[in-house]
Amino acid sequence: MKVRRVALIGAVLLGVISLAAWLFWPRAVAVQIIEVKRAPAVRMLAVNGTVRPRLSVEVQAPVAGTLTALPFDVGARVRAGELLARVDDAPQRAAIAEAVAAVSAQEAVLAQARRDLARYVALGEFVTRQRREEARLAVDQGVQELNRRRAVVVQAREVQQRYAVRAPFAGVILERPVDPGQTIGVSTVLYRLADLSAPEIAAEVDETYAAAIAVGGEARIALPGRSQPLRATVVHVEPRVDPSTGAREVRLRASQPLDGLPSGLTISVNLIIEREVAAISIPRSAILRPDSNPSVRVVDADGKVAERSIRFIDWPAESVTVTQGLEPGARVLADPQAATPGTRVRSRS
């Protein structure tokens, strides 16, 4: 009976000890763990871009005056060489008429000089040699003066053509800031004309990252109403840094036509900087002190947390490529603040 009682007491004590151990023994903390592996990776730069015409120009008149014709309005399509505006050319027409009259007068003078020379030559020895030379000189001077006055007419007509403003290329009128009858100067903008047949995408890229972008590089652009991004190619990288923004302009051309998209539309652009066949990538959020002495917290074979220094390619993206400090198979805390070194952890299901 006594032995049975002792056994019962021992069993109770063992149960109490086991319960206390279960209640007070440190438990493994549930955390999210990333298993490191090598996989294809793409280093991209996400920027905002805007749709811009392939060609765009502010149309101005090369002369000042009053607009007598302005036949197109915003949205109109025009052909190359088509008349866009006409400035009142009445003063120039008067100048042309005056120059033409001067030519006619000089033609009469020259005709008379030639008749005089012919008469003196016909008289032969009855006219002095000096008189004949003077007549011949008068003809030569008359020819020169006639040529000069004809050149004035040609020049005046060329100037008159400047009063008619024509489209430098086929395109669409984006803006018309003036109206017929308005007096303009040589710097007044008549139209803003753009060729929208093959628009490009322009993006401003910080000078720190623009050095990694080259003509011919790949990109992906997201357009409204399209479920899949379009491929695009870098066609120009501005060699100069804009001192006001610290950025360089990058222009891209899509693999498919962008007809119908309004000029100035903002779209998302992902510039592909580098492709890697087998890289170790982790979220930037898993890195402690990413700007100085970067490290991650890894989980060892016993489930304990330890801190490990790493090196990575610092790039403005959610995921970064680790170049030193991690090998495939390593387990990294997704949130490095979730557990301190020495803590026992388990993977959160």
Side-chain angles (χ1 to χ4, degrees):
M1 189 71 176
K2 185 177 180 179
V3 174
R4 187 177 298 173
R5 185 180 302 167
V6 170
L8 180 59
I9 293 173
V12 171
L13 289 174
L14 181 61
V16 171
I17 292 171
S18 299
L19 178 61
W22 183 82
L23 290 174
F24 298 105
W25 190 265
R27 301 183 195 176
V29 178
V31 295
Q32 184 179 354
I33 297 175
I34 301 170
E35 184 174 347
V36 173
K37 60 181 69 175
R38 291 191 180 275
V42 178
R43 185 154 58 102
M44 294 192 298
L45 180 66
V47 295
N48 285 329
T50 55
V51 176
R52 53 160 286 172
R54 184 178 63 87
L55 295 174
S56 179
V57 68
E58 291 183 342
V59 179
Q60 299 173 329
V63 293
T66 302
L67 288 171
T68 58
L70 205 65
F72 296 104
D73 209 338
V74 175
R77 294 184 176 274
V78 299
R79 300 185 302 273
E82 192 165 9
L83 181 70
L84 295 182
R86 188 180 295 280
V87 180
D88 184 12
D89 62 349
Q92 192 59 29
R93 282 187 279 114
I96 292 173
E98 182 179 353
V100 170
V103 167
S104 298
Q106 183 59 28
E107 287 175 342
V109 170
L110 179 58
Q112 183 59 48
R114 284 173 171 163
R115 286 194 295 270
D116 291 343
L117 176 60
R119 187 172 68 255
Y120 293 153
V121 170
L123 291 174
E125 59 184 12
F126 297 103
V127 177
T128 64
R129 180 177 180 182
Q130 181 179 357
R131 179 65 63 86
R132 286 197 299 270
E133 291 302 321
E134 289 176 350
R136 188 172 286 109
L137 179 61
V139 170
D140 291 342
Q141 291 176 341
V143 170
Q144 293 177 5
E145 179 62 17
L146 178 61
N147 290 338
R148 187 190 68 80
R149 294 188 183 187
R150 285 174 174 171
V152 170
V153 173
V154 172
Q155 183 179 17
R157 285 174 174 161
E158 288 177 351
V159 171
Q160 186 186 30
Q161 293 178 3
R162 300 178 188 175
Y163 287 76
V165 182
R166 299 187 180 275
F169 53 80
V172 177
I173 303 296
L174 299 183
E175 188 176 353
R176 197 198 74 181
V178 293
D179 293 312
Q182 185 171 333
T183 300
I184 62 168
V186 293
S187 61
T188 303
V189 176
L190 307 182
Y191 296 99
R192 286 185 173 84
L193 176 67
D195 178 2
L196 302 180
S197 60
E200 297 176 338
I201 299 97
E204 296 290 324
V205 179
D206 188 274
E207 58 183 315
T208 305
Y209 308 113
I213 302 170
V215 173
E218 295 182 73
R220 299 291 184 272
I221 56 175
L223 300 178
R226 294 179 183 253
S227 58
Q228 296 296 325
L230 288 182
R231 298 171 63 91
T233 303
V234 176
V235 295
H236 175 78
V237 179
E238 184 66 32
R240 184 183 68 90
V241 176
D242 187 332
S244 63
T245 62
R248 294 165 64 183
E249 184 185 64
V250 175
R251 295 203 296 268
L252 306 101
R253 189 168 298 153
S255 59
Q256 298 180 19
L258 301 180
D259 298 343
L261 291 182
S263 181
L265 177 70
T266 301
I267 58 177
S268 298
V269 178
N270 286 311
L271 295 159
I272 298 175
I273 306 302
E274 184 181 9
R275 293 183 182 273
E276 297 183 77
V277 177
I280 291 177
S281 299
I282 62 173
R284 179 183 290 271
S285 58
I287 302 175
L288 286 166
R289 304 177 301 278
D291 298 327
S292 63
N293 301 319
S295 65
V296 294
R297 287 179 175 166
V298 297
V299 181
D300 62 19
D302 297 329
K304 289 186 177 181
V305 175
E307 194 163 314
R308 185 180 299 176
S309 296
I310 64 166
R311 290 183 181 178
F312 67 97
I313 300 175
D314 194 3
W315 196 255
E318 293 182 359
S319 295
V320 298
T321 299
V322 177
T323 57
Q324 186 176 325
L326 289 178
E327 296 296 333
R331 298 188 298 163
V332 176
L333 294 187
D335 178 5
Q337 304 295 341
T340 57
T343 304
R344 189 179 298 277
V345 298
R346 60 182 177 84
S347 180
R348 182 188 303 158
S349 57

